[in-house]
Amino acid sequence: MAAITLSAITKRFGSFDALQPLSLEVQDREFVALLGPSGCGKTTTLNILAGLEAPTSGRILIDGRDVTDIPPMQRNLAMVFQSYALYPHLSVRRNIAFPLEVRRAPRAEIDSAVARAAELLEITPYLDRYPRALSGGQRQRVALGRALVRKPAAFLLDEPLSNLDAVLRLQMRAELSGLFRSLGATALYVTHDQAEAMTMADRIAVFAAGRMLQFAPPLTIYRAPADRAVAAFVGAPPMMFLDGIVTDGGAIQAGGLTFPARHAPLAPGAAVTLGLRPEDVSPARDGPTAEVVLVEHYGGNQVVTLRAGPARFCMLSPPDMRIEQGHRIGVSVDPRNLYLFAPDTGRTLAAPGLDPRNETR
Ligand SMILES: Nc1ncnc2c1ncn2[C@@H]1O[C@H](COP(=O)(O)OP(=O)(O)OP(=O)(O)O)[C@@H](O)[C@H]1O
Ligand SMILES: [Mg+2]
């Protein structure tokens, strides 16, 4: 496997900047998720790495070797596409064998590589079927099998699970991370599903509009987001944002509620954006009250939408707790769990995962 470096990569399509200068270092054996909304440049990044698209500027290194001007086949990267791109007229066996047949590998080597990949992916019983006779999850494994037999320097995966139903997706998510860990594979995994990125990746690169906003381990992204956009993108239900003001005592007032805060001193009267994650808000008998706008039951818990003045936020509460729409309910938030952002730039001023002593910004 291999380390991958993207150095100041840009991509223009006509007059449109699809990628701002992007620098990213993926370590050998690392599983990195590229996470971001539709159109932010995830596929473009993979295509450039794979050599299917040339960067407008910048260099690509694989294990220190500059491959920017080297054709795709010689980069030895295996790409798995969202659509799987299987050959319908070839059996599963031949689909998996294809890259080795192109290389004119000896028959015995091909057979043993296919058998090994099929066993690993548990698709041995389907080797003589055609792709149309397979479920989505099975097809997805065939596409992976085809990538595996190449023994690539790294795997590039573009939303490989997005065609699967929710249950299969969850199952494959776990299987894929297990598989890549056991192979010790370097992988770049594109997804717009934050839960996939959070659960599978060693590090997540969060993208928006052609720019990388943050590159960090999942928990850092979650508890110490670089800015409001990153914070908004991870977490389900998502973080809610309230317009707030710093009080004379250093607490945060938002929507008529006062939240005691624990952060480096901010000037009294300063405007801040307060971010609340639903799981950080709890019901409290003697807390300030908010009106219950909506209660949604999810079986294991309920999501309660609350209104305080102009502000709305959500709370996660146990399923057996009776909370009625239209009533008022006391709430509290552990001061350590407040997120604060600069209203103009969106930059993070305070977050649970940031040491408050370092927050002298
Ligand atoms: N060949 C092209 N010509 C012009 N614009 C392009 C081309 N390919 C991509 N783009 C634009 O570049 C931007 C990034 O596209 P890209 O396919 O990388 O997005 P993405 O993050 O993979 O999105 P999605 O999650 O929808 O797959 C988009 O705005 C897209 O319209
Ligand atoms: Mg894409």
Side-chain angles (χ1 to χ4, degrees):
M1 286 290 152
I4 294 175
T5 305
L6 294 180
S7 173
I9 294 287
T10 66
K11 182 66 184 178
R12 295 198 115 208
F13 292 112
S15 61
F16 175 72
D17 284 314
L19 286 180
Q20 312 284 342
L22 166 68
S23 294
L24 180 70
E25 282 193 35
V26 178
Q27 287 162 19
D28 183 26
R29 298 170 168 250
E30 194 175 21
F31 192 114
V32 167
L34 305 185
L35 175 70
S38 185
C40 69
K42 306 182 295 293
T43 298
T44 303
T45 305
L46 278 204
N47 285 343
I48 288 174
L49 242 170
L52 304 175
E53 196 97 67
T56 304
S57 61
R59 311 305 297 174
I60 302 146
L61 308 182
I62 298 178
D63 269 344
R65 184 170 76 114
D66 191 327
V67 298
T68 317
D69 302 314
I70 285 180
M73 279 306 273
Q74 291 166 31
R75 296 191 189 188
N76 195 23
L77 302 170
M79 189 144 168
V80 177
F81 299 91
Q82 176 176 351
S83 58
Y84 315 148
L86 299 179
Y87 301 107
H89 59 288
L90 297 182
S91 66
V92 166
R93 186 188 304 281
R94 298 240 10 241
N95 262 286
I96 298 176
F98 193 79
L100 300 181
E101 289 180 358
V102 170
R103 264 189 222 163
R104 300 185 190 284
R107 191 75 248 165
E109 183 189 316
I110 296 181
D111 289 345
S112 80
V114 170
R116 238 189 353 260
E119 194 178 328
L120 200 59
L121 295 162
E122 297 177 21
I123 48 174
T124 307
Y126 315 119
L127 279 176
D128 293 311
R129 288 201 201 167
Y130 285 82
R132 64 173 176 276
L134 297 180
S135 73
Q138 292 159 347
R139 283 180 211 183
Q140 202 267 339
R141 284 174 222 219
V142 177
L144 271 171
R146 196 171 51 186
L148 288 180
V149 294
R150 294 183 48 186
K151 298 221 177 95
F155 292 91
L156 310 179
L157 304 118
D158 195 355
E159 311 222 20
L161 305 185
S162 62
N163 284 336
L164 306 182
D165 69 49
V167 174
L168 196 53
R169 211 177 153 132
L170 265 182
Q171 184 190 333
M172 286 302 297
R173 193 207 270 177
E175 286 184 16
L176 270 188
S177 357
L179 177 68
F180 281 105
R181 292 218 196 293
S182 68
L183 291 172
T186 305
L188 266 88
Y189 185 98
V190 162
T191 180
H192 60 257
D193 180 338
Q194 57 95 23
E196 265 177 24
M198 286 294 296
T199 53
M200 297 175 83
D202 295 314
R203 283 192 290 174
I204 303 176
V206 185
F207 280 67
R211 202 183 291 274
M212 188 166 75
L213 304 178
Q214 190 169 9
F215 184 37
L219 276 182
T220 305
I221 298 277
Y222 198 81
R223 297 310 263 175
D227 64 16
R228 175 180 168 156
V230 173
F233 207 74
V234 291
M239 182 185 284
M240 301 293 262
F241 299 96
L242 290 71
D243 293 331
I245 294 278
V246 180
T247 67
D248 289 340
I252 308 297
Q253 211 160 51
L257 304 180
T258 302
F259 297 92
R262 172 186 152 279
H263 53 77
L266 292 164
V272 288
T273 301
L274 172 64
L276 295 177
R277 290 204 186 277
E279 70 269 27
D280 294 334
V281 181
S282 354
R285 212 175 282 283
D286 47 5
T289 65
E291 183 195 340
V292 177
V293 185
L294 182 68
V295 183
E296 294 165 292
H297 298 274
Y298 285 88
N301 57 38
Q302 49 190 352
V303 177
V304 184
T305 304
L306 300 160
R307 175 163 56 203
R312 278 179 183 243
F313 57 101
C314 291
M315 172 176 81
L316 223 50
S317 74
D320 49 353
M321 186 169 173
R322 269 189 68 120
I323 298 179
E324 294 198 43
Q325 211 164 307
H327 286 200
R328 292 190 74 83
I329 179 174
V331 294
S332 79
V333 181
D334 184 329
R336 281 171 302 191
N337 290 335
L338 290 188
Y339 294 77
L340 298 178
F341 305 96
D344 48 354
T345 60
R347 204 163 45 86
T348 304
L349 303 173
L354 286 179
D355 185 340
R357 283 164 305 187
N358 298 335
E359 288 161 32
T360 49
R361 286 171 290 184

